[in-house]
Amino acid sequence: MRARTAIVAGAVALVLAGCGAAEPGSGVTGTVTVFAAASLTGSFDRIGRDFEAAHPGSTVVFNFAGSSALATQITEGAPADVFASAAPQNMTGVDSDGTPVVFARNQLVVAVPAGNPEGVRSLADLTRPGLKVALCAEQVPCGSAARRALDVAGVTLTPVTLETDVRGALAKVRLGEVDAALVYRTDTRAAASDVTTVEFPESARAVNDYPIAALADAPNPAAARAFVAHVRSAGSQSVLTEAGFQTP
C-alpha cells in the first residue's frame, strides 16, 4: 500500500463545479483510503493533494495496483473507502454505496523505446520474428483491452511476458527488456522522453471506461462520498484530461 502521510497545508485554488462536491470546510476529516487502478497513479496523487488542501484535517491514502487484484482485496475484507477501477467488470461483486459512475476513459497505444529503433508502425509489426512484446494479462483491464484491439486488427502474437498491471508492461520497455508493449496513452505521456508512442486505429474499438464508487462498508463514508465528488469535479477532470484521459 502506498501512503502519503503529509497533509498539504494552506489554501489551493480549486474549482469544485457541480457533481455535488463537498465544499471546503464542510467537516470532512480523517483518512480516506482509495483503492485505484495503477494507471491512475500520477493523476490521483495530484487529485489527492488537492482534496487534502480543500479539506483540512483529511488525509488520502492510496493503494495502486491492477484493478482485478484490488477488487479481490476489497471483497476479501480489505478496509477501503473508495474504489476506482480501470474497467466496469471489476466492480462486479464489490458492494458499493450507490451506482458506480464513469469518470474517465483511456485508450491503448504501443510503447517502444525512445526513437522507435525497431520502426514499429502498427499492431501487425509486433508479430515480426524476434520482436519481444509485453502485454498485460487478460484478467486485468489493460490486458482485456489489448485482446479486443488485437482481435479487431486480426493480429495474433505471442508476448514474451504477461504483466499484472500496466505499470509492469511499461517498465519492461523502459528497462530495455522488450521492444514494445501495449499500454495506455496516459502511461506513455507520463513516461515522457523515456519511450516513444505509436498510435494505432484499432485502439478506438478498445477504449476502457473508468468507474468510481464509495464503498458500502467504507470506514469513513462522508470522506468517501466527498472524494468521489471531488474526482468528478471540474478541477479534477482537468487534471485527468491533462494526463491524457478522455472525458466520459
Side-chain angles (χ1 to χ4, degrees), residues 182-223:
L182 285 180
V183 300
Y184 293 122
R185 180 180 291 153
T186 52
D187 298 302
T188 57
R189 184 172 293 192
S193 60
D194 288 352
V195 300
T196 292
T197 300
V198 178
E199 302 273 357
F200 59 96
E202 295 86 356
S203 68
R205 303 273 297 277
V207 176
N208 273 8
D209 288 342
Y210 281 56
I212 189 170
L215 299 177
D217 295 327
N220 191 346

Side-chain angles (χ1 to χ4, degrees), residues 37-47 49 103-109 170 183-192 197 199 210 234-247:
S39 49
L40 291 165
T41 302
S43 299
F44 266 32
D45 274 341
R46 181 174 167 187
I47 287 170
R49 289 194 296 271
F103 66 97
R105 292 189 167 93
N106 212 349
Q107 194 163 340
L108 291 177
V109 298
L170 183 64
V183 300
Y184 293 122
R185 180 180 291 153
T186 52
D187 298 302
T188 57
R189 184 172 293 192
T197 300
E199 302 273 357
Y210 281 56
S236 296
Q237 288 294 302
S238 294
V239 171
L240 291 162
T241 300
E242 182 180 329
F245 287 97
Q246 301 168 11
T247 55

Side-chain angles (χ1 to χ4, degrees), residues 209-235:
D209 288 342
Y210 281 56
I212 189 170
L215 299 177
D217 295 327
N220 191 346
R225 289 190 290 270
F227 187 83
V228 171
H230 178 74
V231 169
R232 300 179 66 198
S233 70

Side-chain angles (χ1 to χ4, degrees), residues 124-140:
D125 287 343
L126 301 181
T127 65
R128 291 180 193 160
L131 198 77
K132 294 181 289 187
V133 179
L135 297 180
C136 295
E138 289 191 35
Q139 293 79 10
V140 298

Side-chain angles (χ1 to χ4, degrees), residues 29-33 57-61 81 219-220 223-224:
T29 59
T31 298
V32 54
T33 303
S58 68
T59 301
V60 182
V61 176
D81 293 292
N220 191 346

